[in-house]
Amino acid sequence: MKILVTGGNGFIGSNFIRYFLKKKIVKKIINIDKNSYESISDNFLNFKSKKYFKIKDNLSSSKKIEKIILNHKIDIILHMAAESHVDRSIKDPHKYIMSNVIPTLNILRACVSTRNKRSVRLIYFSTDEVFGSNHKSPPFKLTSQLNPSSPYSASKAAAGLLVSSWRKTYNIDASIVYCCNNYGPYQNPEKLIPASIYRIMNSLPILIYGNGKQIRTWIYVEDTIRAIDKIINVRENINRDYIIGSNRDYTNLTIIRKLISIVNDHSNIGNAKDLIQFTQDRPGHDLAYKLSKDKVLEKLGFKILFDLDRGLKKTVKWYMENPKFIEKNKYKSFIKNLRKVGFK
Protein backbone atom coordinates (compact mmCIF):
# COMPACT_ATOMS: atom_id res chain seq x y z
CA MET A 1 0.00 0.00 0.00
CA LYS A 2 1.33 3.41 -1.01
CA ILE A 3 -0.31 6.37 0.73
CA LEU A 4 -0.26 10.08 -0.06
CA VAL A 5 -0.98 12.25 2.99
CA THR A 6 -1.67 15.95 2.55
CA GLY A 7 -0.92 18.02 5.64
CA GLY A 8 1.38 15.39 7.12
CA ASN A 9 3.14 18.03 9.21
CA GLY A 10 -0.13 18.76 10.96
CA PHE A 11 -1.54 17.34 14.18
CA ILE A 12 -3.60 14.39 12.93
CA GLY A 13 -1.50 13.91 9.79
CA SER A 14 1.77 13.52 11.71
CA ASN A 15 0.17 11.10 14.19
CA PHE A 16 -1.18 9.11 11.24
CA ILE A 17 2.23 8.89 9.57
CA ARG A 18 3.98 7.84 12.77
CA TYR A 19 1.39 5.10 13.35
CA PHE A 20 1.30 3.81 9.75
CA LEU A 21 5.06 3.77 9.15
CA LYS A 22 5.15 0.80 11.56
CA LYS A 23 2.76 -1.24 9.40
CA LYS A 24 4.31 -3.87 7.14
CA ILE A 25 1.51 -3.51 4.57
CA VAL A 26 2.54 0.14 4.04
CA LYS A 27 5.31 0.34 1.45
CA LYS A 28 5.51 4.11 1.08
CA ILE A 29 4.07 7.29 2.62
CA ILE A 30 4.35 10.55 0.72
CA ASN A 31 3.73 13.65 2.82
CA ILE A 32 2.76 16.87 1.04
CA ASP A 33 2.82 19.90 3.32
CA LYS A 34 3.46 23.56 2.56
CA ASN A 35 5.14 24.13 5.95
CA SER A 36 2.83 26.91 7.13
CA TYR A 37 2.74 28.45 10.61
CA GLU A 38 0.48 25.54 11.63
CA SER A 39 2.94 22.89 10.44
CA ILE A 40 5.18 21.03 12.85
CA SER A 41 8.84 21.36 11.87
CA ASP A 42 10.36 18.41 10.04
CA ASN A 43 13.23 18.26 12.53
CA PHE A 44 10.84 17.87 15.44
CA LEU A 45 8.81 15.15 13.74
CA ASN A 46 12.00 13.32 12.78
CA PHE A 47 10.43 10.59 10.62
CA LYS A 48 13.34 8.21 10.12
CA SER A 49 12.14 5.60 7.66
CA LYS A 50 13.04 4.57 4.13
CA LYS A 51 9.30 4.37 3.46
CA TYR A 52 8.78 8.10 4.15
CA PHE A 53 9.12 10.91 1.59
CA LYS A 54 8.38 14.62 2.10
CA ILE A 55 7.31 17.05 -0.63
CA LYS A 56 6.93 20.73 0.20
CA ASP A 57 3.98 22.01 -1.82
CA ASN A 58 0.73 23.97 -1.41
CA LEU A 59 -1.42 21.78 -3.72
CA SER A 60 -1.98 24.68 -6.09
CA SER A 61 -1.34 22.60 -9.22
CA SER A 62 -3.35 19.54 -10.22
CA LYS A 63 -0.58 18.67 -12.71
CA LYS A 64 1.95 18.34 -9.90
CA ILE A 65 -0.44 16.13 -7.96
CA GLU A 66 -0.94 13.96 -11.07
CA LYS A 67 2.82 13.43 -11.37
CA ILE A 68 3.10 12.49 -7.70
CA ILE A 69 0.26 9.97 -8.01
CA LEU A 70 1.81 8.33 -11.07
CA ASN A 71 5.50 8.53 -10.13
CA HIS A 72 4.93 7.08 -6.66
CA LYS A 73 2.13 4.70 -7.72
CA ILE A 74 -0.23 6.01 -5.05
CA ASP A 75 -3.12 3.78 -3.92
CA ILE A 76 -4.79 6.04 -1.34
CA ILE A 77 -4.88 9.80 -0.80
CA LEU A 78 -5.65 10.91 2.73
CA HIS A 79 -6.50 14.60 2.34
CA MET A 80 -5.94 16.26 5.71
CA ALA A 81 -4.31 19.53 4.68
CA ALA A 82 -6.34 22.54 5.80
CA GLU A 83 -6.26 25.84 7.59
CA SER A 84 -8.18 24.93 10.74
CA HIS A 85 -8.33 27.86 13.16
CA VAL A 86 -11.81 29.35 13.45
CA ASP A 87 -10.61 32.65 14.93
CA ARG A 88 -8.15 33.19 12.09
CA SER A 89 -10.81 32.31 9.50
CA ILE A 90 -13.02 35.12 10.83
CA LYS A 91 -10.18 37.60 10.32
CA ASP A 92 -9.11 36.28 6.91
CA PRO A 93 -11.89 34.22 5.23
CA HIS A 94 -10.35 34.53 1.75
CA LYS A 95 -7.27 32.62 2.89
CA TYR A 96 -9.45 29.74 4.08
CA ILE A 97 -11.28 29.44 0.78
CA MET A 98 -7.99 29.44 -1.11
CA SER A 99 -6.33 26.96 1.28
CA ASN A 100 -9.20 24.55 1.92
CA VAL A 101 -11.36 24.56 -1.21
CA ILE A 102 -9.00 25.09 -4.17
CA PRO A 103 -6.46 22.38 -3.17
CA THR A 104 -9.35 19.92 -2.77
CA LEU A 105 -10.49 20.78 -6.29
CA ASN A 106 -6.96 20.18 -7.60
CA ILE A 107 -6.76 16.78 -5.91
CA LEU A 108 -10.12 15.79 -7.39
CA ARG A 109 -9.01 16.86 -10.86
CA ALA A 110 -5.84 14.80 -10.46
CA CYS A 111 -7.84 11.74 -9.40
CA VAL A 112 -9.94 12.00 -12.57
CA SER A 113 -7.07 12.65 -14.97
CA THR A 114 -4.91 9.76 -13.68
CA ARG A 115 -7.54 7.08 -13.22
CA ASN A 116 -6.91 5.41 -16.59
CA LYS A 117 -3.33 4.80 -15.49
CA ARG A 118 -3.73 4.60 -11.72
CA SER A 119 -6.89 3.91 -9.70
CA VAL A 120 -6.70 6.02 -6.56
CA ARG A 121 -9.00 6.10 -3.56
CA LEU A 122 -9.54 9.48 -1.88
CA ILE A 123 -10.40 9.90 1.80
CA TYR A 124 -11.28 13.51 2.62
CA PHE A 125 -11.01 14.51 6.26
CA SER A 126 -13.81 16.89 7.31
CA THR A 127 -15.14 18.11 10.66
CA ASP A 128 -18.29 18.05 12.78
CA GLU A 129 -18.34 21.85 12.54
CA VAL A 130 -19.86 21.68 9.06
CA PHE A 131 -23.20 20.73 10.69
CA GLY A 132 -23.42 23.85 12.86
CA SER A 133 -24.64 23.74 16.47
CA ASN A 134 -26.86 21.05 18.00
CA HIS A 135 -27.06 21.97 21.68
CA LYS A 136 -30.82 21.30 21.66
CA SER A 137 -30.73 18.42 19.17
CA PRO A 138 -29.52 14.80 19.05
CA PRO A 139 -25.91 14.05 18.01
CA PHE A 140 -25.07 14.67 14.37
CA LYS A 141 -25.15 11.77 11.92
CA LEU A 142 -24.36 11.38 8.23
CA THR A 143 -27.83 12.53 7.21
CA SER A 144 -27.63 15.75 9.27
CA GLN A 145 -28.00 19.00 7.32
CA LEU A 146 -24.92 21.06 6.60
CA ASN A 147 -25.16 24.37 8.45
CA PRO A 148 -21.68 25.88 8.94
CA SER A 149 -21.29 28.94 11.18
CA SER A 150 -17.77 30.18 10.43
CA PRO A 151 -15.65 30.77 7.32
CA TYR A 152 -13.54 27.79 8.39
CA SER A 153 -16.45 25.35 8.64
CA ALA A 154 -17.99 26.78 5.46
CA SER A 155 -14.75 26.12 3.57
CA LYS A 156 -14.67 22.53 4.86
CA ALA A 157 -18.32 22.01 3.92
CA ALA A 158 -17.69 23.41 0.44
CA ALA A 159 -14.70 21.14 -0.09
CA GLY A 160 -16.73 18.16 1.11
CA LEU A 161 -19.51 18.98 -1.37
CA LEU A 162 -16.93 19.01 -4.16
CA VAL A 163 -15.79 15.53 -3.11
CA SER A 164 -19.38 14.29 -3.02
CA SER A 165 -20.22 15.77 -6.43
CA TRP A 166 -17.03 14.42 -8.07
CA ARG A 167 -17.92 11.00 -6.72
CA LYS A 168 -21.32 11.18 -8.43
CA THR A 169 -20.32 12.91 -11.65
CA TYR A 170 -16.91 11.40 -12.34
CA ASN A 171 -17.31 8.08 -10.50
CA ILE A 172 -14.14 8.44 -8.46
CA ASP A 173 -13.59 6.35 -5.33
CA ALA A 174 -13.97 8.77 -2.43
CA SER A 175 -15.10 8.90 1.18
CA ILE A 176 -15.71 11.83 3.52
CA VAL A 177 -14.81 11.40 7.17
CA TYR A 178 -16.48 13.71 9.70
CA CYS A 179 -14.54 13.79 12.95
CA CYS A 180 -15.18 15.28 16.38
CA ASN A 181 -12.61 17.28 18.40
CA ASN A 182 -9.25 15.54 18.56
CA TYR A 183 -6.60 16.02 21.23
CA GLY A 184 -3.20 14.50 21.98
CA PRO A 185 0.52 14.95 21.19
CA TYR A 186 1.76 17.39 18.53
CA GLN A 187 -1.35 19.60 18.49
CA ASN A 188 -0.95 23.26 17.60
CA PRO A 189 -0.77 25.22 20.90
CA GLU A 190 -3.43 27.67 19.77
CA LYS A 191 -6.00 24.90 20.31
CA LEU A 192 -7.93 24.66 23.59
CA ILE A 193 -6.20 21.72 25.28
CA PRO A 194 -2.51 22.41 24.48
CA ALA A 195 -3.02 26.16 25.04
CA SER A 196 -4.56 25.46 28.44
CA ILE A 197 -1.80 23.01 29.40
CA TYR A 198 0.84 25.57 28.43
CA ARG A 199 -0.84 28.30 30.46
CA ILE A 200 -1.36 26.09 33.50
CA MET A 201 2.29 24.98 33.46
CA ASN A 202 3.46 28.59 33.19
CA SER A 203 0.92 30.12 35.62
CA LEU A 204 -0.62 32.23 32.85
CA PRO A 205 -4.28 33.21 32.68
CA ILE A 206 -6.39 30.40 31.20
CA LEU A 207 -8.70 32.12 28.73
CA ILE A 208 -12.20 30.76 28.12
CA TYR A 209 -14.67 32.12 25.59
CA GLY A 210 -18.02 33.21 27.04
CA ASN A 211 -19.12 31.12 30.04
CA GLY A 212 -17.17 28.01 29.05
CA LYS A 213 -20.31 25.90 28.68
CA GLN A 214 -19.78 25.15 24.99
CA ILE A 215 -20.10 21.39 24.48
CA ARG A 216 -17.79 19.32 22.29
CA THR A 217 -17.37 15.61 21.58
CA TRP A 218 -13.75 14.66 22.28
CA ILE A 219 -11.58 11.81 21.02
CA TYR A 220 -7.92 10.98 21.63
CA VAL A 221 -5.97 11.21 18.36
CA GLU A 222 -4.74 7.61 18.47
CA ASP A 223 -8.35 6.41 18.48
CA THR A 224 -8.98 8.54 15.39
CA ILE A 225 -5.97 6.98 13.62
CA ARG A 226 -7.20 3.51 14.50
CA ALA A 227 -10.60 4.39 13.02
CA ILE A 228 -8.91 5.58 9.82
CA ASP A 229 -7.04 2.27 9.74
CA LYS A 230 -10.38 0.45 9.66
CA ILE A 231 -11.68 2.72 6.89
CA ILE A 232 -8.58 2.29 4.74
CA ASN A 233 -8.86 -1.48 4.92
CA VAL A 234 -12.51 -1.59 3.80
CA ARG A 235 -12.86 -3.58 0.57
CA GLU A 236 -16.63 -3.31 0.00
CA ASN A 237 -18.74 -0.16 -0.35
CA ILE A 238 -15.54 1.89 -0.34
CA ASN A 239 -17.35 5.10 -1.26
CA ARG A 240 -19.25 5.25 2.01
CA ASP A 241 -18.84 8.28 4.28
CA TYR A 242 -17.99 7.89 7.96
CA ILE A 243 -18.32 9.58 11.32
CA ILE A 244 -15.52 9.31 13.86
CA GLY A 245 -17.17 10.19 17.15
CA SER A 246 -17.09 8.99 20.73
CA ASN A 247 -20.43 9.97 22.31
CA ARG A 248 -18.35 11.63 25.03
CA ASP A 249 -19.47 15.22 25.33
CA TYR A 250 -17.93 17.76 27.72
CA THR A 251 -18.01 21.51 28.24
CA ASN A 252 -14.83 23.51 27.67
CA LEU A 253 -14.85 24.45 31.34
CA THR A 254 -14.95 20.79 32.37
CA ILE A 255 -11.97 20.05 30.11
CA ILE A 256 -9.91 22.85 31.64
CA ARG A 257 -10.74 21.82 35.21
CA LYS A 258 -9.64 18.27 34.41
CA LEU A 259 -6.39 19.58 32.94
CA ILE A 260 -5.71 21.66 36.06
CA SER A 261 -6.21 18.60 38.24
CA ILE A 262 -3.92 16.42 36.09
CA VAL A 263 -1.11 19.00 35.90
CA ASN A 264 -1.39 19.53 39.65
CA ASP A 265 -0.83 15.82 40.19
CA HIS A 266 2.56 16.13 38.46
CA SER A 267 3.74 19.45 39.84
CA ASN A 268 2.74 21.80 42.61
CA ILE A 269 1.30 24.73 40.68
CA GLY A 270 -0.84 26.07 43.50
CA ASN A 271 -4.46 27.04 43.01
CA ALA A 272 -4.53 27.14 39.21
CA LYS A 273 -8.31 27.52 39.24
CA ASP A 274 -7.67 31.18 40.05
CA LEU A 275 -6.02 31.51 36.62
CA ILE A 276 -9.29 30.91 34.76
CA GLN A 277 -10.52 34.05 32.99
CA PHE A 278 -13.71 34.34 30.96
CA THR A 279 -13.39 36.48 27.84
CA GLN A 280 -15.82 37.88 25.30
CA ASP A 281 -17.23 35.12 23.11
CA ARG A 282 -16.19 35.01 19.47
CA PRO A 283 -18.70 35.75 16.67
CA GLY A 284 -20.78 32.78 15.52
CA HIS A 285 -19.46 30.52 18.29
CA ASP A 286 -21.55 27.32 18.17
CA LEU A 287 -22.79 26.12 21.55
CA ALA A 288 -22.42 22.41 20.82
CA TYR A 289 -20.95 19.90 18.41
CA LYS A 290 -22.21 16.50 19.49
CA LEU A 291 -21.29 13.69 17.13
CA SER A 292 -22.75 10.18 17.19
CA LYS A 293 -20.82 6.94 16.88
CA ASP A 294 -20.70 5.25 13.49
CA LYS A 295 -22.35 1.83 13.70
CA VAL A 296 -20.59 0.68 10.53
CA LEU A 297 -17.20 1.47 12.08
CA GLU A 298 -18.19 -0.54 15.15
CA LYS A 299 -19.15 -3.46 12.90
CA LEU A 300 -15.68 -3.19 11.37
CA GLY A 301 -14.26 -3.76 14.85
CA PHE A 302 -13.47 -0.20 15.88
CA LYS A 303 -13.64 0.55 19.61
CA ILE A 304 -12.60 3.58 21.65
CA LEU A 305 -9.53 2.67 23.72
CA PHE A 306 -8.97 5.97 25.51
CA ASP A 307 -11.55 7.50 27.81
CA LEU A 308 -11.16 11.23 28.46
CA ASP A 309 -9.19 10.92 31.72
CA ARG A 310 -6.70 8.44 30.28
CA GLY A 311 -6.29 10.45 27.07
CA LEU A 312 -5.80 13.75 28.90
CA LYS A 313 -3.21 12.20 31.23
CA LYS A 314 -1.21 10.95 28.24
CA THR A 315 -1.55 14.35 26.57
CA VAL A 316 -0.42 16.33 29.63
CA LYS A 317 2.51 13.93 30.13
CA TRP A 318 3.63 14.46 26.52
CA TYR A 319 3.55 18.26 26.76
CA MET A 320 5.36 18.21 30.09
CA GLU A 321 8.05 16.02 28.54
CA ASN A 322 8.27 18.29 25.47
CA PRO A 323 8.29 21.83 26.90
CA LYS A 324 10.10 23.24 23.87
CA PHE A 325 7.43 22.10 21.41
CA ILE A 326 5.99 25.60 20.99
CA GLU A 327 9.30 27.37 20.44
CA LYS A 328 10.82 24.66 18.25
CA ASN A 329 7.87 24.69 15.91
CA LYS A 330 8.00 28.45 15.31
CA TYR A 331 4.64 29.29 16.87
CA LYS A 332 5.84 32.85 17.34
CA SER A 333 2.36 34.25 16.82
CA PHE A 334 1.11 32.31 19.83
CA ILE A 335 3.79 33.77 22.11
CA LYS A 336 3.41 37.19 20.50
CA ASN A 337 -0.34 37.25 21.13
CA LEU A 338 0.21 36.33 24.77
CA ARG A 339 2.65 39.21 25.20
CA LYS A 340 0.28 41.66 23.51
CA VAL A 341 -2.19 41.24 26.34
CA GLY A 342 0.41 41.50 29.06
CA PHE A 343 1.58 37.89 29.48
CA LYS A 344 5.29 37.25 29.93
Side-chain angles (χ1 to χ4, degrees):
M1 183 186 298
K2 300 177 183 68
I3 304 173
L4 171 62
V5 180
T6 70
N9 283 61
F11 168 43
I12 299 178
S14 63
N15 277 281
F16 172 88
I17 292 171
R18 186 170 291 101
Y19 184 95
F20 268 71
L21 281 175
K22 299 174 184 177
K23 288 185 166 290
K24 291 182 180 179
I25 193 175
V26 175
K27 301 302 181 184
K28 183 185 292 187
I29 296 181
I30 307 296
N31 168 24
I32 299 181
D33 196 291
K34 65 181 181 181
N35 289 2
S36 70
Y37 76 92
E38 291 187 51
S39 302
I40 304 165
S41 72
D42 293 305
N43 291 336
F44 196 92
L45 290 176
N46 196 26
F47 291 132
K48 292 182 178 179
S49 173
K50 293 180 179 179
K51 298 191 290 186
Y52 174 77
F53 300 87
K54 167 70 182 292
I55 298 173
K56 183 180 178 181
D57 192 78
N58 63 1
L59 301 172
S60 61
S61 168
S62 61
K63 295 295 182 182
K64 284 185 180 180
I65 301 170
E66 290 173 23
K67 290 181 180 180
I68 292 169
I69 291 172
L70 296 176
N71 290 343
H72 293 279
K73 299 179 179 179
I74 298 299
D75 300 301
I76 296 174
I77 300 175
L78 193 64
H79 182 26
M80 292 182 169
E83 301 282 352
S84 63
H85 293 280
V86 176
D87 291 1
R88 291 177 180 269
S89 78
I90 295 171
K91 294 179 180 178
D92 189 2
H94 178 265
K95 178 179 180 180
Y96 278 67
I97 300 300
M98 299 305 296
S99 296
N100 295 349
V101 179
I102 303 303
T104 304
L105 172 63
N106 289 330
I107 290 171
L108 290 167
R109 292 175 64 191
C111 288
V112 172
S113 61
T114 59
R115 65 181 171 184
N116 290 332
K117 297 179 180 179
R118 190 76 190 170
S119 179
V120 179
R121 182 183 175 198
L122 172 64
I123 300 175
Y124 171 68
F125 211 78
S126 189
T127 170
D128 54 5
E129 294 190 39
V130 299
F131 299 116
S133 182
N134 63 343
H135 62 289
K136 294 183 179 180
S137 307
F140 295 126
K141 50 188 178 181
L142 288 174
T143 55
S144 296
Q145 181 179 343
L146 297 177
N147 188 27
S149 301
S150 69
Y152 160 66
S153 56
S155 70
K156 294 295 289 183
L161 288 172
L162 287 177
V163 174
S164 180
S165 63
W166 251 250
R167 182 169 56 192
K168 294 176 182 177
T169 301
Y170 300 101
N171 297 315
I172 66 169
D173 292 329
S175 295
I176 302 172
V177 175
Y178 301 95
C179 194
C180 63
N181 277 32
N182 275 248
Y183 66 97
Y186 297 97
Q187 189 170 26
N188 188 301
E190 291 186 13
K191 298 293 187 176
L192 176 69
I193 288 178
S196 298
I197 293 172
Y198 180 84
R199 290 169 180 178
I200 294 166
M201 289 171 59
N202 292 277
S203 298
L204 298 171
I206 307 163
L207 307 180
I208 302 179
Y209 279 128
N211 57 14
K213 294 182 179 180
Q214 301 89 355
I215 298 171
R216 302 292 183 262
T217 303
W218 292 92
I219 189 170
Y220 187 63
V221 66
E222 186 177 318
D223 279 327
T224 294
I225 304 306
R226 289 174 45 257
I228 296 172
D229 192 2
K230 297 293 184 184
I231 294 169
I232 283 177
N233 285 286
V234 165
R235 293 295 176 263
E236 296 180 359
N237 195 18
I238 61 174
N239 291 329
R240 187 189 187 279
D241 296 335
Y242 296 87
I243 280 178
I244 301 179
S246 65
N247 278 356
R248 295 169 185 181
D249 311 321
Y250 300 90
T251 67
N252 290 345
L253 189 56
T254 297
I255 294 294
I256 290 174
R257 285 171 175 166
K258 282 182 176 289
L259 290 173
I260 290 172
S261 177
I262 293 169
V263 174
N264 224 0
D265 288 341
H266 290 274
S267 60
N268 185 15
I269 56 173
N271 190 8
K273 291 181 180 179
D274 293 339
L275 297 174
I276 294 176
Q277 291 185 8
F278 298 95
T279 65
Q280 182 178 356
D281 212 348
R282 72 180 179 217
H285 197 180
D286 290 322
L287 293 179
Y289 303 131
K290 294 179 289 184
L291 202 59
S292 64
K293 286 185 178 180
D294 193 317
K295 293 182 179 179
V296 172
L297 268 180
E298 291 183 334
K299 289 180 180 179
L300 293 173
F302 172 67
K303 295 180 180 179
I304 299 289
L305 293 185
F306 295 88
D307 61 25
L308 184 71
D309 289 337
R310 183 186 175 199
L312 287 180
K313 286 177 182 177
K314 285 180 67 68
T315 302
V316 169
K317 183 175 183 291
W318 187 87
Y319 278 95
M320 294 186 79
E321 291 175 350
N322 295 273
K324 298 295 184 180
F325 177 70
I326 294 173
E327 290 83 354
K328 281 189 176 182
N329 287 286
K330 303 177 182 178
Y331 294 131
K332 294 179 181 178
S333 61
F334 177 71
I335 304 298
K336 185 177 180 181
N337 289 338
L338 287 178
R339 289 173 178 163
K340 274 185 179 179
V341 290
F343 299 163
K344 298 181 179 179

